[in-house]
Amino acid sequence: GLWKKLEVSRANEYIPRPVTNYLFDSYQTLKSYVIKNKPRSTIYPNTNLYKDKLAAKVGELCIEANWARLKEQANYEYAASCLVLYGTVFKKDYWDTTELTMAKVPRMTQQPKMDPATGQMIGMEEVQASDPETGDPLYDSMPLGDVNTDVVEPFRICMDPLANDIHKIRWIMEYSIQPLAWIKEVFSRQEEGYTGLVDEVKEETQLQGSLKRYYALKNSSGTKAKIEGTTSSGNADEHMENSAVVKEYYERPSKEHPNGRMVVVANGICLYAGDSPYVGPELGDWHPYSECRWEIVPGRFWGKSPLDNASE
């Protein structure tokens, strides 16, 4: 009884109703603006020498080829969705050791090096081995992995709270839910830095709230479904099997760790502790992340979403 019926007139041709929702239309429009043009990458040569300029052009062609091979268009659209909704989104560029890309590596062997003038042996030299029967050169197949990219939502990133720029942070950490089989495949190594404790990682039964909701969203259609007499809406506890939370921690170079620091933990078990595998001349080259912010807010790192003021 507090509200009177509003009649449509020439002065007010349209009256918003409680069911009118402008958020989705605004979200779709803003996202379409972001993905309207395909991003371009430019590689600058180290010097003005012809070989460096040619190498830079080849690098740009490699990036262009990877756009289709790595399904970057889908990543681009998902990143735009996260940017409009959350105000901040991260991209992770890394070397994926689980990709079974095989490379042919020449098999090398040592043979005596002879002086052509005297015919005497003057040392040993390394040459490519050949088949003793056919004389064909021998090669070994080596799994190298391949380059890969991921879009990381802001609620899966924890970082230095004192910094407002990603190039000036002291540390950054990513949370992800991974199957135990993937964890064993990646960290079952005897190389320097790997702890050899991967077999001690157990299934995770307790998750923090944001990761649990994230997992539920990934495994839910958004509507409740009745399965075998019960109602399910994609609860994370119903699907969380043989998985654990993996935390990747990166620390910028210091006197104690001149190459940076990387620590990986899964369900409380340290899997890797050593130098960061990422190096380069720029300030943020010690970690694999880059960020995009919709609106920069003075005094803080996290960007502001265009939908933040929708309720005002």
Side-chain angles (χ1 to χ4, degrees), residues 37 40 48 66-67 95 140 176 236 243 294:
N37 298 318
R40 300 183 62 183
N48 289 325
N66 281 334
W67 176 267
W95 190 260
D140 293 322
S176 64
S243 300
W294 182 272

Side-chain angles (χ1 to χ4, degrees), residues 82-90 154-155 159 163-166 291-309:
C82 294
L83 179 64
V84 174
L85 285 176
Y86 307 127
T88 306
V89 66
F90 294 85
F155 52 80
M159 59 189 304
N164 56 12
D165 189 289
I166 196 169
E291 105 288 355
C292 181
R293 292 177 282 177
W294 182 272
E295 180 181 346
I296 296 178
V297 180
R300 78 177 191 186
F301 171 82
W302 303 102
K304 186 176 181 180
S305 165
L307 303 180
D308 282 351
N309 297 328

Side-chain angles (χ1 to χ4, degrees), residues 94-112:
Y94 62 101
W95 190 260
D96 190 353
T97 57
T98 63
E99 291 288 339
L100 297 179
T101 302
M102 307 300 291
K104 291 179 64 178
V105 181
R107 184 182 300 178
M108 308 303 292
T109 185
Q110 296 284 337
Q111 71 175 21

Side-chain angles (χ1 to χ4, degrees), residues 21-66:
N21 186 354
Y22 293 105
L23 287 179
F24 184 73
D25 291 339
S26 300
Y27 158 79
Q28 291 283 67
T29 301
L30 293 172
K31 188 180 75 170
S32 66
Y33 288 156
V34 176
I35 64 177
K36 181 179 180 181
N37 298 318
K38 178 182 176 182
R40 300 183 62 183
S41 299
T42 302
I43 298 179
Y44 297 97
N46 293 328
T47 67
N48 289 325
L49 296 176
Y50 173 76
K51 64 176 184 178
D52 288 340
K53 292 182 177 180
L54 182 60
K57 291 296 182 182
V58 172
E60 291 180 357
L61 292 176
C62 291
I63 293 177
E64 187 69 21
N66 281 334

Side-chain angles (χ1 to χ4, degrees), residues 177-180 203-204 215 236-244:
I177 302 175
Q178 300 292 351
L180 295 181
E203 176 183 346
E204 191 106 19
Y215 193 84
D237 293 334
E238 299 174 5
H239 303 278
M240 195 65 191
E241 296 179 355
N242 298 321
S243 300

